[in-house]
Amino acid sequence: NEWERRVLWFRPLLPGDKVELLYEQSMYRVLQIEIYTSDSTGDFVLRKMVFGSFAAAAYYDPELSEKLICQGGSWEITNLRLTYHELRMFVNQSHRLFIGDQTINLAAEFGDGSCISLRKYSYPGMIVTLGLEQAKGMYLFDKYLRDYLPHWI
């Protein structure tokens, strides 16, 4: 099994709940924020991204540059509707997760360089809950290549 199933916490996840991921963008070393809401199935819907520089935003998607809004020194892309079943990431020292009144320092909990997954858990008769898991080494990346990359070729 590629997951240690080291679950940090569970919490109820209701439709419309906001999930925010804040980190330093690795190439341009500027703040980046991803803002999601949960849908009725517990999936994550990316609604907005905030970038600390125009270069970081343009790197994300050069074709979106005409949709960028400069807001108080940062660049925003709004009205996004990208849906994800889980959010997988390599954690660096700057990663913070905000859900409701909870803030989680992901590097402090899992370690700098860890692979983690933020995902829903749903069981018959239970409310959808949200949990964090930690992957063993590079298995997460290998699974991504094996499961998702072939669909794009």
Side-chain angles (χ1 to χ4, degrees), residues 141 143-153:
F141 187 68
K143 179 171 174 36
Y144 174 80
L145 291 177
R146 201 171 53 246
D147 292 349
Y148 299 102
L149 193 58
H151 300 289
W152 294 95
I153 297 175

Side-chain angles (χ1 to χ4, degrees), residues 25 41 45 65 71 111 120 135:
Q25 199 264 4
T41 67
V45 181
S65 60
Q71 189 81 358
K120 66 180 179 179

Side-chain angles (χ1 to χ4, degrees), residues 22-64:
L22 179 142
Y23 55 94
E24 181 181 88
Q25 199 264 4
S26 60
M27 182 176 280
Y28 292 97
R29 301 285 187 212
V30 295
L31 177 71
Q32 187 160 319
I33 304 170
E34 300 174 8
I35 301 170
Y36 301 84
T37 56
S38 61
D39 66 12
S40 61
T41 67
D43 284 344
F44 303 100
V45 181
L46 180 60
R47 302 292 183 174
K48 178 179 177 179
M49 293 186 74
V50 179
F51 303 89
S53 73
F54 177 80
Y59 178 76
Y60 172 75
D61 189 342
E63 294 182 18
L64 288 178

Side-chain angles (χ1 to χ4, degrees), residues 17-126:
D17 278 357
K18 186 164 96 171
V19 176
E20 246 180 89
L21 183 63
L22 179 142
Y23 55 94
E24 181 181 88
Q25 199 264 4
S26 60
M27 182 176 280
Y28 292 97
R29 301 285 187 212
V30 295
L31 177 71
Q32 187 160 319
I33 304 170
E34 300 174 8
I35 301 170
Y36 301 84
T37 56
S38 61
D39 66 12
S40 61
T41 67
D43 284 344
F44 303 100
V45 181
L46 180 60
R47 302 292 183 174
K48 178 179 177 179
M49 293 186 74
V50 179
F51 303 89
S53 73
F54 177 80
Y59 178 76
Y60 172 75
D61 189 342
E63 294 182 18
L64 288 178
S65 60
E66 71 275 1
K67 297 179 182 177
L68 286 171
I69 301 166
C70 184
Q71 189 81 358
S74 62
W75 295 87
E76 298 180 1
I77 301 173
T78 58
N79 298 320
L80 296 170
R81 301 260 187 278
L82 304 171
T83 302
Y84 302 91
H85 298 298
E86 66 182 303
L87 304 177
R88 295 177 176 186
M89 66 203 80
F90 287 103
V91 173
N92 68 37
Q93 286 295 323
S94 66
H95 274 83
R96 303 285 185 276
L97 181 68
F98 302 92
I99 301 176
D101 60 353
Q102 290 183 296
T103 300
I104 299 172
N105 178 332
L106 298 176
E109 294 294 337
F110 288 104
D112 190 24
S114 293
C115 307
I116 65 167
S117 172
L118 178 64
R119 61 187 290 259
K120 66 180 179 179
Y121 296 82
S122 45
Y123 304 96
M126 292 182 66

